[in-house]
Amino acid sequence: MSEATIESVSHENRVFPPSEEFSAQARISTREQYEALYRRSLEDPEGFWREQAEALHWFDAPETIVEWKPPFAKWFVGGTTNLAYNCLDRHLDGPRRNKAAIIWEGEPGDIRVLTYFQLHREVCRFANALEGLGIGKGDRVGIYMGMVPEAAIAMLACARIGAVHSVVFGGFAADAVRDRMNDAQAKAVITQDGAYRRGSVVALKAQVDAAVEQCPSIEHVIVLRRTQNEIEMREGRDHDWHELVANSSSTHQAPALDAEHPLFILYTSGSTGKPKGVLHSTGGYMVGTYLTSRYVFDLREEDTYWCTADVGWVTGHSYIVYGPLANGASAVMYEGAPNAPDPGRFWSIIERHGVSIFYTAPTAVRAFVKWGDDWITKHDLSSLRLLGTVGEPINPEVWVWYRNVVGGGRCPIVDTYWQTETGSIVMTPLPGAVAAKPGSCSLPFFGVSAKVLREDGTEADTNEGGLLCIDRPWPSMLRTVWGDDERYKQQYFSRFEGKYFTGDGARRDEDGFFWVVGRIDDVVNVSGHRLGTAEIESSLVAHALVAEAAVVGIPDEFTGQALVAFVTLKSGNTPSPELADELCQHVGAEIGKFARPKRIRFADAVPKTRSGKIMRRLLRDLAAGKEAHGDMTTLEDIGVLAQLREHEEG
Ligand code: PRX
């Protein structure tokens, strides 16, 4: 077999069409309707995107829809707009004025609801406060907060005045904050005294104090009081959020900003090396998040939508804040952990607020499986009508469990594929139109020309694994790596000239459905079979006792590489050599003998990034008996690594 292809071993062939009832009310009801629109978006991108953009407010209408000088794109050229205006002001003259924009629940149980009118007022106040400190158009502002409404207010206020926000996930520590603020040359940081996490207080302000010592560009630190823990306030540099806004006017005129005005920088680690500052700009990102939110979540005025991501990740940017608010939706925001005070928390939130659309990550769904169905079934989840996932391939068994146990067998699931870099969802089933296949992110969204390519740039055959690329620009694509155009070219456009390479391996099946088999760095080669790890993991997770599995390759003198599987069992099961054997047989029977792991290592948990992705790079080192190397700052829990090492020695 050629070096260039990835063998796909998945046998998943179940299909789940949406119910007639769901399709009948959906914005897009049939596959034909989707296909007609999709074709139009590629055949007449100018016409398609001009029409879509018209749903939003522009101070000056765009002149040119797209200017593509590979690898640099400009969208809606000549247009001026304001994203915060589109998320807020636009809704104030109609029935959305007093509709809930954000329904927030704190971890201790406190609840706040901000209507569009109230959210607009708070954003205006904070925008005035920022301007009062001399922060304006083009200045970079760090946001290092927990999941409080003020995090969204801070983002929207920055967007409103044209300041470029860079949100740093609250789980990162001082060094990560420092590096990101220095790279962005930020002028201010917005933070909190502390954030609640699983009953304790994470001292955010203290981390900022340590970071800012080494950030010469930072002039101001704005501090929201949330947990009332003791903090130091430095005279002249530090400002109390509440005092600032108390003295600020609640009216603010949103300026007209160029469509290509930079909107935000979000740092993403990739698998190795220095974090990259992914830069998004205003107009294209606005249209992309607006349109995907509307069609992928089939948003209705009366929906209560909940995305469980953190605003520190792109999912929080696009699908808690900008996309839903641009649509005038009511979005739930939850401050804390899914198991605080117990693993029933998410389900009680859904019941309490009547959530109808629920969007989460496969890592969370695997945790729900592990915690057991009882936590879920004791709540009334009948308000749910649509489920979604994002962040990793979802194992088909987990998908089916999600559909049956959480969705009561009646809710379509949208498995949405996208990246920090893509800005908005690029592949997904449209829930009323496309029959989903568990584990597949289905079909490209409008305007996305997705291709599976061989190493030589030719298109892979049906079901032949290859490299997942997008060969045309799309509105919400990243514009560059902040301050490093060269890295942007190298990272995304050097593999195939003029085509965006995602870094993922994929195959496309006979229905045109895409199946992501994992990051290309994670591909293993066993006896000449190049295998994506996701499919072997899914086979393990299909075993009744397995909650989670991570598969990596180690060097092997006979087979080139051999597979080692790290396996976490569902609560209440005990590892044994017999079970390890059984799991190997199970993979052999499901996929083929060549795919049988050489070793199974049971683990209480596997190392994950802070956004919940399994860090196979660390497991590879561990499996090969090497010290783990490379960037470790994105590791969620360093203790997991130590524990895995102990297991090995013990
Ligand atoms: O490998 C793909 C995986 O997550 C990567 C993007 O990660 P990040 O930039 O952190 O953004 C996550 C939230 C958008 C992708 O390159 N990924 C994301 N969604 C899926 C996925 N893999 C398979 N199926 C998905 N639905």
Side-chain angles (χ1 to χ4, degrees):
M1 198 183 66
S2 117
E3 255 301 285
T5 58
I6 302 167
E7 203 165 329
S8 185
V9 292
S10 160
H11 299 308
E12 183 56 52
N13 51 19
R14 285 169 287 186
V15 176
F16 294 82
S19 66
E20 271 173 35
E21 198 189 338
F22 190 97
S23 288
Q25 59 75 52
R27 291 193 183 279
I28 299 187
S29 301
T30 62
R31 177 131 178 207
E32 293 68 43
Q33 220 182 333
Y34 153 77
E35 271 167 9
L37 264 171
Y38 178 68
R39 253 195 322 277
R40 163 134 199 267
S41 73
L42 293 189
E43 284 165 7
D44 175 22
E46 297 268 330
F48 178 84
W49 288 113
R50 189 178 292 281
E51 237 170 62
Q52 300 305 333
E54 274 169 9
L56 294 155
H57 178 81
W58 297 82
F59 296 100
D60 301 286
E63 286 156 20
T64 311
I65 295 303
V66 57
E67 227 180 75
W68 177 226
K69 295 189 182 127
F72 297 102
K74 289 185 178 163
W75 281 86
F76 307 112
V77 184
T80 62
T81 187
N82 186 297
L83 180 48
Y85 182 97
N86 273 291
C87 289
L88 302 167
D89 309 48
R90 195 166 80 84
H91 308 308
L92 296 186
D93 291 335
R96 290 179 186 150
R97 182 181 178 83
N98 293 314
K99 176 179 176 178
I102 296 178
I103 301 167
W104 176 81
E105 190 165 313
E107 193 180 84
D110 38 347
I111 289 173
R112 276 169 71 193
V113 178
L114 287 158
T115 63
Y116 275 94
F117 170 78
Q118 292 165 329
L119 183 62
H120 172 261
R121 187 175 54 192
E122 295 309 314
V123 169
C124 286
R125 281 210 175 111
F126 197 64
N128 283 319
L130 289 174
E131 287 182 335
L133 293 175
I135 295 161
K137 198 168 150 182
D139 288 335
R140 273 82 60 209
V141 175
I143 299 177
Y144 177 64
M145 302 179 83
M147 287 289 288
V148 288
E150 284 79 3
I153 292 169
M155 291 164 74
L156 288 158
C158 287
R160 189 173 188 91
I161 66 173
V164 183
H165 63 66
S166 182
V167 183
V168 179
F169 173 56
F172 281 121
D175 286 4
V177 179
R178 177 197 62 202
D179 294 348
R180 286 158 176 76
M181 293 305 106
N182 283 337
D183 188 77
Q185 288 292 291
K187 195 164 171 180
V189 186
I190 305 164
T191 188
Q192 310 171 199
D193 47 4
Y196 288 116
R197 191 72 190 170
R198 221 163 275 134
S200 57
V201 170
V202 183
L204 295 179
K205 172 63 163 65
Q207 298 291 329
V208 168
D209 287 340
V212 169
E213 284 296 313
Q214 296 170 56
C215 298
S217 64
I218 301 280
E219 295 170 22
H220 302 285
V221 176
I222 300 171
V223 189
L224 175 82
R225 284 290 189 170
R226 166 64 182 146
T227 49
Q228 315 302 333
N229 53 318
E230 206 169 306
I231 53 170
E232 272 177 43
M233 292 291 278
R234 179 168 314 167
E235 188 71 36
R237 184 195 72 181
D238 297 355
H239 313 272
D240 182 279
W241 174 297
H242 292 289
E243 282 172 24
L244 275 186
V245 297
N247 297 322
S248 297
S249 154
S250 58
T251 54
H252 181 274
Q253 184 92 32
L257 300 170
D258 193 273
E260 279 301 327
H261 185 69
L263 175 67
F264 68 82
I265 304 168
L266 186 58
Y267 286 85
T268 172
S269 63
S271 39
T272 46
K274 173 172 168 257
K276 301 183 284 281
V278 168
L279 179 71
H280 283 287
S281 67
T282 304
Y285 177 84
M286 172 174 83
V287 174
T289 52
Y290 165 78
L291 203 68
T292 46
S293 299
R294 180 175 167 84
Y295 285 115
V296 178
F297 301 116
D298 195 51
L299 272 178
R300 309 252 132 210
E301 279 315 324
E302 63 274 22
D303 274 317
T304 303
Y305 161 94
W306 182 21
C307 164
T308 68
D310 191 285
V311 288
W313 312 119
V314 74
T315 308
H317 286 56
S318 302
Y319 297 112
I320 295 179
V321 181
Y322 294 120
L325 296 180
N327 278 281
S330 295
V332 171
M333 187 175 181
Y334 168 57
E335 180 179 42
N339 54 354
D342 61 47
R345 185 60 183 265
F346 274 15
W347 321 115
S348 80
I349 291 176
I350 292 178
E351 185 171 4
R352 191 158 34 254
H353 301 288
V355 171
S356 54
I357 303 172
F358 178 67
Y359 188 36
T360 195
T363 182
V365 185
R366 293 190 301 259
F368 306 151
V369 173
K370 192 173 157 187
W371 291 332
D373 299 9
D374 291 352
W375 291 109
I376 301 158
T377 48
K378 70 177 173 205
H379 290 279
D380 175 7
L381 304 185
S382 59
S383 58
L384 287 173
R385 68 177 193 96
L386 177 64
L387 305 175
T389 66
V390 56
E392 281 181 294
I394 182 164
N395 316 115
E397 284 322 308
V398 173
W399 190 102
V400 171
W401 177 93
Y402 189 33
R403 183 183 154 92
N404 290 338
V405 180
V406 178
R410 78 187 170 273
C411 306
I413 300 179
V414 287
D415 176 347
T416 64
Y417 170 90
W418 59 296
Q419 308 176 298
T420 305
E421 291 87 343
T422 67
S424 59
I425 292 163
V426 290
M427 287 204 278
T428 178
L430 290 183
V434 174
K437 303 185 188 187
S440 164
C441 58
S442 307
L443 299 166
F445 189 72
F446 305 135
V448 175
S449 177
K451 297 277 157 64
V452 178
L453 301 180
R454 303 192 181 104
E455 295 276 357
D456 66 7
T458 56
E459 220 170 312
D461 286 333
T462 298
N463 283 324
E464 176 185 343
L467 310 175
L468 181 61
C469 294
I470 304 177
D471 67 1
R472 292 188 187 192
W474 66 100
S476 66
M477 68 188 280
L478 78 166
R479 296 301 189 259
T480 190
V481 171
W482 178 254
D484 200 345
D485 285 351
E486 206 37 54
R487 191 163 180 206
Y488 168 73
K489 281 189 211 167
Q490 264 304 320
Q491 184 83 34
Y492 304 108
F493 289 91
S494 62
R495 197 110 180 193
F496 307 106
E497 182 93 29
K499 292 176 184 163
Y500 173 82
F501 174 45
T502 61
D504 289 309
R507 74 180 162 95
R508 194 169 193 183
D509 72 14
E510 49 289 341
D511 291 330
F513 275 48
F514 286 83
W515 298 75
V516 173
V517 300
R519 302 293 299 170
I520 212 73
D521 305 335
D522 295 332
V523 166
V524 284
N525 190 328
V526 183
S527 309
H529 301 280
R530 289 185 84 223
L531 306 169
T533 46
E535 295 176 333
I536 305 161
E537 288 160 4
S538 287
S539 159
L540 284 161
V541 173
H543 188 281
L545 304 187
V546 175
E548 185 155 57
V551 169
V552 297
I554 53 167
D556 184 277
E557 59 177 317
F558 299 110
T559 55
Q561 279 184 305
L563 301 174
V564 176
F566 292 82
V567 170
T568 306
L569 297 175
K570 287 183 192 163
S571 300
N573 295 293
T574 330
S576 68
E578 293 72 34
L579 181 57
D581 235 29
E582 188 182 317
L583 292 177
C584 289
Q585 301 303 336
H586 167 83
V587 175
E590 276 226 327
I591 299 180
K593 273 191 170 173
F594 64 92
R596 276 194 315 212
K598 185 173 181 186
R599 268 195 79 190
I600 301 270
R601 285 177 62 168
F602 293 102
D604 297 339
V606 293
K608 291 188 188 159
T609 64
R610 288 164 205 266
S611 62
K613 293 189 212 303
I614 296 170
M615 284 180 91
R616 294 185 187 72
R617 174 167 61 82
L618 297 183
L619 290 174
R620 257 195 313 268
D621 289 342
L622 208 68
K626 288 192 284 195
E627 266 304 301
H629 70 284
D631 181 19
M632 219 88 72
T633 57
T634 55
L635 180 64
E636 187 201 19
D637 178 3
I638 198 91
V640 169
L641 207 59
Q643 204 187 29
L644 282 165
R645 267 196 221 103
E646 269 168 34
H647 275 273
E648 175 65 342
E649 284 150 16

